[in-house]
Amino acid sequence: MKPSPWAAVPAGAVLTLAAVTGCSAASKHAERPAATPYAAEQATDPPAGDGDGAAPGGCPTAASLPLPNDFPESLPMPDGAVVTSVEHRTGGRLVVATVVRGGFDTTLAFLHKELPKAGYIPEEGEVEEGDAESDFSSAAVRGRWTLRKMSACEGEVYLTYLTSAVS
């Protein structure tokens, strides 16, 4: 019996949901993030020129969003990082996504050196080709960073911080 083409729809929906929500130990439940002025501004006010904040090759060209007031002041951010989105999630969690120029290895070395220097203890991380992540904690903050190479933009990487205050 030949499978129906409609049988692929639920599988495709599950895969799409997994890709959009991500899979990490820091996020046990798929949930819709709360809207913030930063995310709303980015979604409704595209930069002049290309209309979607990206150059023809897919590289971000929009100006950096400001870091929110609740971003941990002591958490190191690479020089020139462009904040592309900010999400406030339930449980006091904050997600800040950035694009960093300078390459994967340079940004990874920055994280390995600067986070401990600022008092953040790395926990359960891994590094693969073009992909790395690690949990971290301090007396006041628990979090996770992820680092991904950008296939469309040579020398640029996505760096995302997920943080929450220690209660």
Side-chain angles (χ1 to χ4, degrees), residues 85-160:
S85 71
V86 173
E87 297 176 23
H88 288 90
R89 294 188 176 174
T90 59
R93 295 176 297 153
L94 173 67
V95 179
V96 174
T98 70
V99 173
V100 180
R101 290 178 174 80
F104 183 85
D105 293 336
T106 302
T107 306
L108 183 60
F110 170 88
L111 293 166
H112 283 166
K113 178 181 177 187
E114 298 301 324
L115 265 70
K117 197 157 97 172
Y120 293 92
I121 301 165
E123 303 166 359
E124 299 185 29
E126 69 176 8
V127 178
E128 298 172 357
E129 183 67 31
D131 177 88
E133 61 262 343
S134 179
D135 294 335
F136 60 86
S137 64
S138 71
V141 176
R142 297 187 64 80
R144 181 172 185 80
W145 58 260
T146 61
L147 186 62
R148 309 276 186 270
K149 279 188 177 179
M150 296 177 69
S151 59
C153 301
E154 188 66 34
E156 293 186 3
V157 292
Y158 293 113
L159 170 61
T160 304

Side-chain angles (χ1 to χ4, degrees), residues 64-82:
S64 182
L65 299 172
L67 281 172
N69 292 335
D70 52 346
F71 186 79
E73 190 174 306
S74 63
L75 189 57
M77 184 68 75
D79 288 338
V82 176

